[in-house]
Amino acid sequence: MAKSDLNCYLEDENVVHFAPLIVTKKESVNVRLLNQQPIPIDVDITAKSKGKTMPFEISEKAVHINENDFANIVITFAPNSPENYQATFEAVVRNGTNPLTKALKFGIEGAGTIPIICLKTQLDNNNNNNKAKANNNNNNYLINIGKTNIGYTKQKVYAVGNDSPIPCTVLFQIVTKNIVDFEIKDVQIDKKFIVDPGHQFNFTVV
């Protein structure tokens, strides 16, 4: 399993990594701050974005930790757009003097994303009767099978794939008054199914 598939702490990079998350969704992880000293401490906590926006929320701005005790901090990732985000988390012991123990710093990263299903079959832009073309206004595709004599059939195989880093839910529907004139093979109409990242499937239009 790749690091992008789950929330984890990347020790070699000193980074708390969030798996790709659908825009407007939220995901949280717990961070435990330990006080291994024989005296209580007060800790100030900040998180600074490396970009223009800050999609990471920190549950506490300051905590009091008794001697040999701990405090849990929640980091929440809530992306607003499909892009990569980075920030720096820092916890500083108030009035701390030991440079080795007075501060804790690590990176935070995550990517906002949206489900993306796209046509993998190369579009034929020539002016013939057997072509598929995209409507740029709404990402719909028009598949023109061309003229067919009565009593005969014509078909073409197309491939659709998932280019996003998250699984996509797909639903095939036939929206036409002439349902008997068209058929889609190799998929079940009106039944949802999952397409994993980097995968594609074929279907036949008859």
Side-chain angles (χ1 to χ4, degrees):
M1 182 176 290
K3 77 170 186 178
S4 60
D5 295 332
L6 70 167
N7 301 333
C8 59
Y9 172 68
L10 306 176
E11 186 174 358
D12 292 342
E13 302 176 27
N14 192 31
V15 169
V16 170
H17 171 82
F18 282 90
L21 187 62
I22 296 176
V23 171
T24 71
K25 298 284 186 179
K26 290 185 178 183
E27 189 71 32
S28 298
V29 298
N30 291 321
V31 175
R32 176 166 292 186
L33 302 181
L34 300 176
N35 177 18
Q36 298 177 325
Q37 303 300 317
I39 58 174
I41 59 174
D42 292 297
V43 182
D44 296 314
I45 302 169
T46 59
K48 297 180 180 179
S49 174
K50 295 184 179 181
K52 296 181 180 180
T53 60
M54 181 57 171
F56 303 105
E57 301 175 2
I58 309 300
S59 60
E60 308 291 340
K61 293 183 178 180
V63 292
H64 178 84
I65 309 177
N66 291 323
E67 59 273 17
N68 299 311
D69 203 353
F70 63 87
N72 286 325
I73 306 298
V74 178
I75 302 176
T76 300
F77 178 44
N80 293 319
S81 61
E83 59 182 287
N84 295 323
Y85 297 95
Q86 290 182 321
T88 300
F89 176 98
E90 188 170 16
V92 179
V93 177
R94 200 174 298 167
N95 301 319
T97 57
N98 187 337
L100 298 178
T101 60
K102 71 176 183 179
L104 170 67
K105 181 184 293 187
F106 56 80
I108 312 172
E109 66 179 18
T113 188
I114 55 176
I116 299 174
I117 288 291
C118 62
L119 187 64
K120 290 295 186 179
T121 304
Q122 184 175 0
L123 298 181
D124 184 0
N125 292 320
N126 295 327
N127 292 322
N128 56 36
N129 290 327
N130 186 12
K131 64 182 179 179
K133 61 182 180 179
N135 181 335
N136 292 326
N137 293 328
N138 54 16
N139 292 325
N140 290 333
Y141 292 92
L142 173 63
I143 298 175
N144 189 340
I145 300 296
K147 294 182 179 180
T148 305
N149 292 330
I150 296 175
Y152 291 84
T153 61
K154 186 179 293 185
Q155 65 183 35
K156 189 170 183 180
V157 177
Y158 287 89
V160 174
N162 178 6
D163 284 347
S164 69
I166 57 175
C168 291
T169 301
V170 179
L171 175 66
F172 266 81
Q173 292 181 313
I174 296 179
V175 184
T176 176
K177 295 180 180 179
N178 302 315
I179 297 179
V180 294
D181 293 340
F182 297 96
E183 181 182 358
I184 299 179
K185 294 184 177 180
D186 309 317
V187 295
Q188 292 185 333
I189 303 301
D190 296 323
K191 185 175 181 180
K192 295 180 180 180
F193 60 96
I194 302 296
V195 181
D196 290 324
H199 287 68
Q200 67 179 44
F201 66 94
N202 298 330
F203 64 95
T204 303
V205 178
V206 180

